[in-house]
Amino acid sequence: MDTLPAGLDNVYLVNSGSEAIEGAMKLAKRYTNRHNLISCTNAYHGSTQGALSIGGNEEFKRGYRPLLPGTSQIFYGSFSDLAKITEDTAAVVIETIQGEAGIRVACTTYFQALRTRCSEVGALLILDEIQAGFGRTGTFWAFEQFEIVPDILVCAKGMGGGMPIGAFIAKKEVMGVFKYNPLLGHITTFGGHPVSAAASLATLRVLQEENLIAQVAEKAKLFKSLLIHPQIKAIRNQGLMMALEFESFDVLKPIIDRAIQLGVITDWFLFCDDSMRIAPPLTITSNQIHEACALILQAIDGT
Ligand SMILES: Cc1ncc(COP(=O)(O)O)c(C=O)c1O
């Protein structure tokens, strides 16, 4: 399966999403010889110190300061904020689809303007597809839907089919800076562990052989057609990355508790506590979608 855009073929394997983000941040600083990193409000890139530093929610950062200097946030989707990306910016780190913000998707013209702005000022564009990658949104990478290519691509989660693995991916010219001054600019003991790598390869095979990515849109449509209830205020989704919005956390929390008791594993989003996460494995069948939705509706009704 051809999964990477031409040239974006140097893959550095690590053990998790946060660790992949850390590697990408280091790589951008080293390649550009700049240290300022821009991310988005309500972004989640992981819980390690570097990833937390570019996180977009103060509540989660407050207790851990001082964090990395030179970080700032722009509003996801704001065209006017693109002017804050300058010749001093090493990289912009952005989730293609914002996950923990409650499944938020900026428009194609925004991503294209962001790509143009980064190229104009020599800042690297780092796309975090840790949640959105590996087919979840209906294309192998979510960025394919916006017709842009990042300078550094970051993935994990679905990549391992349940095993711990992550990666940051760049052109050879960019990744090559880790090889000198000093040699071994980024190292990890277990990164690319053969068992995790085998699981990742098996995941790719299953995605391909079972044609799972092509079924994402249809499965998402089925979820949306079944999840109709007066208490569900809205459904936001990009493929099988879905959020059901309720009146408030106080309304949602007991529903989540009941859903879990009934056997549906779900939760709310870190920065959007009025919405329930729907993120099934891509292998879910239509019978299982019917069953899960019936249980979610039962949990909402409190029966
Ligand atoms: C968009 C995004 N980036 C980074 C991470 C961090 O990945 P990990 O939990 O594997 O460290 C997550 C995890 O939820 C995520 O959703």
Side-chain angles (χ1 to χ4, degrees):
M1 193 191 311
D2 256 356
T3 55
L4 291 169
L8 206 69
D9 56 2
N10 264 237
V11 180
Y12 195 113
L13 293 174
V14 291
N15 306 281
S16 69
S18 302
E19 199 185 329
I21 287 286
E22 298 287 338
M25 291 166 72
K26 270 179 70 181
L27 184 59
K29 287 166 77 174
R30 178 68 212 285
Y31 180 74
T32 59
N33 205 18
R34 304 173 184 176
H35 65 269
N36 292 323
L37 294 161
I38 293 182
S39 55
C40 290
T41 50
N42 281 336
Y44 181 72
H45 297 293
S47 280
T48 51
Q49 296 222 36
L52 184 62
S53 302
I54 56 166
N57 187 290
E58 184 52 28
E59 197 188 336
F60 284 80
K61 293 161 87 166
R62 193 174 296 128
Y64 304 97
R65 293 197 180 282
L67 291 166
L68 269 189
T71 62
S72 59
Q73 272 80 54
I74 56 176
F75 281 101
Y76 178 82
S78 159
F79 284 87
S80 57
D81 270 10
L82 297 180
K84 294 179 182 164
I85 306 165
T86 69
E87 274 84 6
D88 285 333
T89 309
V92 176
V93 190
I94 183 168
E95 293 160 272
T96 318
I97 315 296
Q98 281 201 315
E100 296 311 310
I103 314 300
R104 313 280 169 180
V105 194
C107 62
T108 302
T109 43
Y110 172 77
F111 277 108
Q112 293 183 347
L114 170 66
R115 175 65 277 182
T116 302
R117 181 68 186 161
C118 286
S119 301
E120 270 167 12
V121 299
L124 298 190
L125 176 60
I126 301 178
L127 287 184
D128 177 343
E129 294 231 358
I130 289 166
Q131 267 192 56
F134 273 72
R136 177 147 300 275
T137 69
T139 46
F140 192 87
W141 303 109
F143 70 76
E144 293 168 51
Q145 295 163 42
F146 304 107
E147 291 171 29
I148 55 160
V149 176
D151 297 298
I152 305 178
L153 172 62
V154 186
C155 55
K157 284 200 194 287
M159 179 184 183
M163 292 295 283
I165 191 165
F168 56 100
I169 302 165
K171 285 189 291 195
K172 189 175 176 191
E173 177 207 343
V174 176
M175 196 71 87
V177 299
F178 275 153
K179 290 196 182 147
Y180 60 92
N181 254 344
L183 177 70
L184 305 181
H186 194 75
I187 47 179
T188 156
T189 301
F190 290 124
H193 189 285
V195 176
S196 293
S200 191
L201 188 58
T203 301
L204 284 173
R205 288 209 181 106
V206 171
L207 283 176
Q208 188 168 32
E209 284 165 18
E210 298 185 17
N211 201 22
L212 291 175
I213 298 176
Q215 298 163 23
V216 164
E218 203 54 38
K219 289 178 179 176
K221 202 166 139 203
L222 181 57
F223 265 106
K224 288 168 88 170
S225 71
L226 295 170
L227 289 171
I228 293 169
H229 191 284
Q231 289 210 54
I232 301 175
K233 301 284 165 212
I235 301 185
R236 293 182 299 275
N237 82 298
Q238 193 78 352
L240 287 173
M241 218 174 152
M242 305 182 86
L244 307 188
E245 186 180 316
F246 290 81
E247 193 64 48
S248 64
F249 180 66
D250 290 342
V251 171
L252 175 60
K253 178 68 172 53
I255 294 172
I256 285 177
D257 292 343
R258 282 195 293 271
I260 291 171
Q261 268 169 15
L262 292 168
V264 177
I265 300 172
T266 182
D267 66 345
W268 60 94
F269 297 89
L270 278 180
F271 316 137
C272 181
D273 66 8
D274 65 4
S275 297
M276 176 192 279
R277 187 192 313 270
I278 307 280
L282 304 193
T283 49
I284 194 167
T285 62
S286 93
N287 281 347
Q288 288 167 332
I289 295 174
H290 278 274
E291 197 183 332
C293 290
L295 292 172
I296 291 168
L297 295 176
Q298 195 181 327
I300 297 172
D301 285 333
T303 54

